[in-house]
Amino acid sequence: MSLTAAFDKLFVAFIQSVLAICAGLCYTVSKSEEWGTGTVNRGVFIVFEGIDGAGKTTQAELLRNRLTESGRRVHMTAEPTDMPTGVALRRVLSGKVKKSESEAALMFVQDRVAHNLAPENGIEACLAKGIDVICDRYYYSTMAYQGSSVDYGWVRSMNLDCPDIRKPDLCIFLDLTPEQSLGRIAAGRQSVEIYENRETLSRVRQAFLGVLNDLEGRERIVIVDAHRDIGAIHADIVKAVEDILT
Ligand code: TYD
């Protein structure tokens, strides 16, 4: 082979290598852009939990306003849902329809799966469209309420191991003692009712704290002292949400 022919071969090999490297780079860039776009545009999923009178509704509304003012789109939702699965649950909760505790646990899971998968305003659909979802109650409630009546491990596994039940990006637990809660909601009631409520509220709060303790390290959970003025509670919530958005 002449020196020129050898040089030509080397030159062609060099050009081919350069082209291959460029192609590789382009592929990497387009892959990361694709990943980046999907991640950046996805909405965040925030859940509010707490015992009666903790102020979930008020604080969820304030957070919605704050997020929309900053240009984000927000979908407010709740469990039990307004879908047929949730309507059936409300009949059970009101005592109109009798179901066992394990049947109720299954119904909450069924309602949650439907809530996640609903094509129109379901949790997954909204998040995928870049809409933030704020949900009043989620699986923490099932684990606290139903998990203390039927086998906790079973209730936990049905919720946490179900591929169609999304893990929230943040759970905000508005914490009140039963006494503080009653101070807000029980003014004017009979003492017997107050006693019964205190027992129930105390049991539910302990169950919630047990659930949050169980999920520590696995989930992002913020416990907010809800026995303060609305503005101070809101400020803590905004801080927690900013932490997941940055
Ligand atoms: P609701 O009228 O929505 O009240 P709240 O404003 O307190 O959310 O009632 C929901 C009830 O359902 C509430 O008592 C808690 C109960 N619940 C469960 O027992 N398990 C669950 O998984 C959920 C989501 C709610």
Side-chain angles (χ1 to χ4, degrees):
M1 191 191 297
S2 74
L3 201 60
T4 324
F7 181 77
D8 280 354
K9 265 197 143 179
L10 252 174
F11 183 72
V12 168
F14 172 73
I15 295 294
Q16 280 173 341
S17 310
V18 169
L19 287 175
I21 290 168
C22 283
L25 278 178
C26 289
Y27 176 74
T28 311
V29 168
S30 73
K31 281 295 276 185
S32 67
E33 271 174 359
E34 193 184 292
W35 180 83
T37 308
T39 308
V40 170
N41 286 346
R42 210 178 158 78
V44 292
F45 180 23
I46 300 167
V47 169
F48 277 89
E49 292 277 10
I51 60 173
D52 284 347
K56 289 184 281 109
T57 313
T58 307
Q59 290 299 334
E61 282 293 338
L62 286 173
L63 179 61
R64 185 249 290 265
N65 295 344
R66 174 70 183 232
L67 288 171
T68 47
E69 275 160 19
S70 69
R72 301 184 69 92
R73 290 177 297 158
V74 180
H75 174 66
M76 300 285 277
T77 186
E79 291 189 2
T81 66
D82 292 334
M83 293 186 284
T85 44
V87 172
L89 262 172
R90 294 222 176 260
R91 281 194 222 109
V92 174
L93 287 170
S94 69
K96 284 190 193 125
V97 171
K98 201 93 195 89
K99 293 282 178 191
S100 69
E101 292 291 346
S102 54
E103 283 173 311
L106 285 168
M107 289 175 78
F108 277 109
V109 172
Q110 189 186 14
D111 189 39
R112 189 155 301 125
V113 169
H115 196 191
N116 270 266
L117 300 182
E120 268 302 301
N121 277 325
I123 295 169
E124 276 303 326
C126 289
L127 296 174
K129 280 186 258 177
I131 301 169
D132 298 330
V133 175
I134 299 179
C135 186
D136 185 342
R137 295 195 186 278
Y138 199 55
Y139 54 56
Y140 313 89
S141 279
T142 316
M143 290 167 73
Y145 288 88
Q146 284 66 48
S148 48
S149 313
V150 284
D151 185 76
Y152 178 77
W154 176 64
V155 174
R156 182 189 200 275
S157 161
M158 275 199 298
N159 282 279
L160 303 190
D161 301 334
C162 175
D164 288 325
I165 295 181
R166 170 166 285 272
K167 178 165 94 171
D169 295 299
L170 177 66
C171 167
I172 298 163
F173 181 71
L174 298 178
D175 191 30
L176 274 189
T177 65
E179 289 71 25
Q180 291 164 346
S181 169
L182 287 170
R184 286 191 186 172
I185 65 175
R189 285 193 195 166
Q190 300 284 311
S191 58
V192 175
E193 287 175 313
I194 290 171
Y195 172 75
E196 284 173 359
N197 284 338
R198 180 178 288 117
E199 292 291 295
T200 308
L201 290 168
S202 177
R203 195 174 44 78
V204 173
R205 177 173 180 249
Q206 285 313 316
F208 263 122
L209 294 177
V211 171
L212 304 186
N213 189 44
D214 173 29
L215 299 182
E216 203 185 328
R218 181 196 184 274
E219 305 222 357
R220 194 152 186 153
I221 298 169
V222 175
I223 300 179
V224 175
D225 175 3
H227 185 53
R228 293 174 299 156
D229 66 83
I230 289 176
I233 298 167
H234 176 58
D236 279 3
I237 292 169
V238 168
K239 167 90 183 52
V241 173
E242 275 169 358
D243 285 348
I244 62 161
L245 289 175
T246 49

